[in-house]
Amino acid sequence: MGIKTLVSSRRSVKDCPGTNSQDAGKADACAGCPNQQVCASGAAAAPDPDLAVVRERLASVKNKVLVLSGKGGVGKSTVSAMLGRALALDDSKEVGILDIDICGPSQPRVLGAAEEKVHSSGAGWSPVYVSDNLAVMSIGFLLNSADDAVIWRGPKKNGMIKQFLRDVDWGALDYLVVDTPPGTSDEHLSIVQYLSAAPPVAAVVVTTPQEVALLDVRKEITFCRKVNIPIIGLVENMTTFVCPKCKTKTAIFPATTGGGPQLAEDTGVPLLGQLPLDPRVAQACDEGTNILTQEPDAAVTQAYKDIANKIKEYCEAQSQEAT
Amino acid sequence: MGTPEPVLAGVGNTILVLSGKGGVGKSTAAVQLAATLRAKGHRVGVLDVDLCGPSIPRMLGVEGRDVLTTPEGKWVPVSVDEEERLKVLSVAFFLDSKNDAVIWRGPKKNAMIKQLLTSVVWNVDYLIIDTPPGTSDEHISVMENIRQAPVLGAVLVTTPQMVAVDDVTRELTFCRRTGISILGIIENMSGFVCPTCSECSNILASGGGEQLAEKAKVTFLGRIPIDPTLSRCTEEGLNYIDKFANSPICQIYHSIITKLTRQTDEEMEVEK
């Protein structure tokens, strides 16, 4: 690599025109980038024939909700599962959860379906039903043992995500909640690329209060804006811990720069809710049980239901606007 | 056609901090391990290969600093202290604003990681490499590139609950498949002691890390409780190991470093 690459490293990181842009491979910032030839040849921007198949498959899914963060460990999988469960409390609704965290799939455990396997038929792959109206798909169901690691580079992960979208037979769904891994990379670009072929899709962004989390979540919000995914709102998780013995409230992850509320204000994203740190949530996730029905009076249960209601209202408003 | 760039030039020994699971405290642990090595008199570097979520500069209080290049075009890591015994390199330094996102697919990430591993002037005794969660491009690229360099091995960080242990189990498989030594497991966020009544709550369950270490037959390095003071230090870029040298957590990190470096110290004695 020449000196030109190193000196211009600040520019190439920030000024990449994007692999799908007209300037891909041709902009100044492309000089020295190892992808320059691929982008300039146009191969990176060629249309994908599977997009039409995905669009058809997802035509019967009324609303797609992407749960994103940027930061790991803020509770994306927990929030995805709880939102799925909360939306499914209305048994007139059909809900699906798609887990596209290929390296760290948590949904099978969190939803109490760790031992289940996926079956395939002429109509495609059947998702696993955790209740009459709540179905889930995850690579976790395709692994032979708990020790199996999915050590895949980006292109193979993209292929799996496309397969999930193309081949899973969800049937008619009112909501498809998509749990994502942390970051702003292959999985995120791919899911947005495929779901944009089958609107409507919108995002819920999850954070915890501390600046170290907000640093990553700001980038995720930038990502959503760059790829034109509307953001329903921001959820702040693990806001405070209430001691079960003496009820003292402690901010374990201190909001040194204003936490979720400040970020919501700074970015113009609605704050959907703030979830307390309740040890029973971690326990329920480990055991695969439904805290919403087991602890109906818990503050966190009500908070999840409120957030789910706001998402329902958003989806209903969007569909009314469309008609 | 030139000779290939040397990997991790100027580094005595390297320790990777891995997890599989996000948010367990890899970056926090990487920073505390580095700060403890420095407190023990070593020169330490921290390499942040989390390209999408680079946290290390903030945690070390050097956000916004510029990375200089040598006349040969190599990057000079940012020094955290005046004596230049704690240095860091992260993609965060190459972004103009906090809102800027690195939205790259695998091949571009791989190219950046190779540069971070081959084009830096370190001059340190130990390098701690902080990784993003998962077992994907960044991890495969790091492993492929560091094969010829002196690497002590990997420290795996988990939290006690099964959802984390599941992912860390997969990371152990990754280590075994790629041939990296597993130095041990740290169980982080292991219990919270209420500051008012001293009741210990296992907010994120308990015991998972130790059980995993036993099952996988790897060293259990230590259990680190939740401490809002430590969270605050990482938030504000303050050196917890120096400021709170007598705290229980600091003692735990000292004992972890002793376990990790015992082998290197013995080898250095033999060489003398």
Side-chain angles (χ1 to χ4, degrees):
Chain A
M1 293 213 184
I3 288 178
K4 196 174 172 189
T5 307
L6 299 171
V7 164
S8 67
S9 55
R10 196 182 187 113
R11 258 198 317 149
S12 69
V13 169
K14 193 172 86 72
D15 296 333
C16 168
T19 52
N20 287 326
S21 135
Q22 280 180 308
D23 294 330
K26 300 169 189 153
D28 285 344
C30 299
C33 174
N35 276 349
Q36 187 181 14
Q37 271 192 316
V38 174
C39 288
S41 71
D48 185 342
D50 282 325
L51 283 182
V53 182
V54 167
R55 192 183 357 219
E56 204 184 303
R57 182 67 92 171
L58 296 182
S60 55
V61 176
K62 286 194 192 146
N63 297 286
K64 296 117 192 136
V65 178
L66 278 176
V67 179
L68 300 168
S69 179
K71 181 83 182 70
V74 298
K76 283 178 295 313
S77 298
T78 307
V79 167
S80 299
M82 294 301 119
L83 286 182
R85 287 199 193 275
L87 291 165
L89 284 174
D90 174 357
D91 48 24
S92 74
K93 301 288 182 205
E94 293 290 324
V95 184
I97 297 177
L98 175 60
D99 180 4
I100 63 162
D101 189 340
I102 306 291
C103 299
S106 309
Q107 292 301 340
R109 176 181 284 281
V110 170
L111 292 169
E115 304 302 313
E116 300 289 334
K117 293 285 168 225
V118 162
H119 302 286
S120 78
S121 70
W125 288 351
S126 304
V128 170
Y129 279 84
V130 296
S131 74
D132 284 341
N133 63 337
L134 179 61
V136 59
M137 176 54 74
S138 166
I139 200 174
F141 297 128
L142 305 176
L143 301 173
N144 285 325
S145 100
D147 291 1
D148 282 353
V150 178
I151 308 172
W152 292 353
R153 289 196 184 274
K156 208 163 170 182
K157 289 193 286 184
N158 300 337
M160 187 82 240
I161 291 171
K162 197 197 316 192
Q163 225 179 330
F164 279 154
L165 293 170
R166 203 185 52 206
D167 297 341
V168 174
D169 179 23
W170 295 104
L173 286 181
D174 295 281
Y175 304 98
L176 179 63
V177 178
V178 183
D179 181 21
T180 63
T184 47
S185 188
D186 285 274
E187 297 90 330
H188 313 87
L189 287 164
S190 293
I191 194 72
V192 163
Q193 187 186 346
Y194 300 131
L195 288 186
S196 296
V201 56
V204 168
V205 182
V206 183
T207 189
T208 43
Q210 77 277 40
E211 175 63 19
V212 166
L214 302 182
L215 276 178
D216 294 351
V217 178
R218 276 189 203 99
K219 298 185 204 304
E220 199 73 18
I221 293 174
T222 300
F223 168 81
C224 288
R225 291 189 166 144
K226 266 201 182 173
V227 298
N228 294 320
I229 293 288
I231 303 174
I232 305 173
L234 182 70
V235 171
E236 185 189 77
N237 197 11
M238 308 193 204
T239 299
T240 44
F241 171 68
V242 179
C243 176
K245 192 170 170 197
C246 71
K247 309 300 176 200
T248 303
K249 283 188 180 172
T250 311
I252 287 176
F253 302 110
T256 58
T257 54
Q262 188 63 51
L263 178 64
E265 199 181 299
D266 291 344
T267 54
V269 167
L271 183 69
L272 292 177
Q274 291 174 284
L275 300 159
L277 240 185
D278 188 327
R280 293 172 293 186
V281 174
Q283 194 179 355
C285 287
D286 273 3
E287 294 169 2
T289 52
N290 187 351
I291 195 177
L292 304 178
T293 49
Q294 285 187 327
E295 306 282 353
D297 299 326
V300 72
T301 295
Q302 195 51 52
Y304 272 117
K305 287 181 178 172
D306 290 343
I307 293 169
N309 282 334
K310 288 183 185 168
I311 292 171
K312 267 197 264 187
E313 282 165 15
Y314 174 91
C315 291
E316 276 157 25
Q318 293 302 299
S319 85
Q320 275 177 4
E321 251 178 63
T323 50
Chain B
M1 197 69 177
T3 48
E5 296 273 10
V7 177
L8 298 179
V11 173
N13 253 304
T14 298
I15 296 172
L16 273 86
V17 179
L18 300 171
S19 180
K21 180 82 182 71
V24 298
K26 279 179 294 318
S27 300
T28 304
V31 165
Q32 307 321 310
L33 289 171
T36 306
L37 280 164
R38 176 187 169 277
K40 284 183 179 295
H42 298 290
R43 293 168 308 157
V44 196
V46 182
L47 176 61
D48 182 3
V49 301
D50 188 342
L51 303 180
C52 298
S55 315
I56 302 288
R58 178 158 188 110
M59 291 186 177
L60 288 173
V62 290
E63 239 181 345
R65 297 262 294 267
D66 279 326
V67 174
L68 304 175
T69 44
T70 64
E72 297 80 35
K74 303 261 181 202
W75 284 322
V76 179
V78 170
S79 285
V80 177
D81 58 347
E82 276 178 15
E83 314 88 61
E84 298 193 359
R85 287 197 297 118
L86 181 55
K87 308 176 189 180
V88 58
L89 192 60
S90 166
V91 83
F93 294 127
F94 300 125
L95 302 171
D96 280 340
S97 102
K98 282 190 200 181
N99 290 327
D100 284 351
V102 169
I103 307 171
W104 294 349
R105 289 193 183 271
K108 199 161 178 180
K109 289 198 284 188
N110 298 337
M112 185 74 193
I113 285 172
K114 186 166 180 169
Q115 249 183 295
L116 289 170
L117 291 169
T118 57
S119 304
V120 185
V121 182
W122 283 109
N123 290 328
V124 294
D125 305 311
Y126 288 94
L127 180 68
I128 310 284
I129 300 184
D130 182 30
T131 60
T135 49
S136 188
D137 288 277
E138 296 86 336
H139 313 85
I140 300 170
S141 290
V142 167
M143 294 307 190
E144 280 180 351
N145 280 294
I146 64 175
R147 270 194 232 285
Q148 307 307 322
V151 177
L152 268 183
V155 168
L156 274 73
V157 183
T158 187
T159 45
Q161 83 265 52
M162 290 314 296
V163 166
V165 166
D166 282 348
D167 287 350
V168 180
T169 303
R170 290 183 259 264
E171 199 75 15
L172 283 168
T173 303
F174 172 81
C175 290
R176 293 194 162 121
R177 283 224 221 139
T178 52
I180 184 151
S181 294
I182 299 165
L183 299 172
I185 290 177
I186 294 177
E187 184 184 273
N188 202 14
M189 304 196 206
S190 196
F192 172 67
V193 177
C194 176
T196 304
C197 71
S198 298
E199 165 92 350
C200 179
S201 293
N202 291 317
I203 301 180
L204 299 172
S206 74
E210 198 161 8
Q211 284 162 19
L212 175 61
E214 202 180 299
K215 183 174 157 208
K217 300 192 179 17
V218 301
T219 308
F220 184 61
L221 289 169
R223 191 180 295 113
I224 302 178
I226 294 173
D227 181 356
T229 310
L230 175 55
S231 305
R232 197 163 274 276
C233 281
T234 57
E235 281 284 278
E236 295 171 3
L238 303 172
N239 189 331
Y240 178 89
I241 299 295
D242 279 359
K243 284 179 99 65
F244 297 97
N246 296 323
S247 63
I249 289 183
C250 194
Q251 302 311 308
I252 299 169
Y253 272 109
H254 272 273
S255 93
I256 292 174
I257 289 294
T258 302
K259 285 180 200 167
L260 294 178
T261 56
R262 187 180 302 137
Q263 186 188 339
T264 354
D265 290 348
E266 282 166 359
E267 281 169 9
M268 282 162 65
E269 279 299 315
V270 168
E271 277 169 34
K272 280 184 202 158

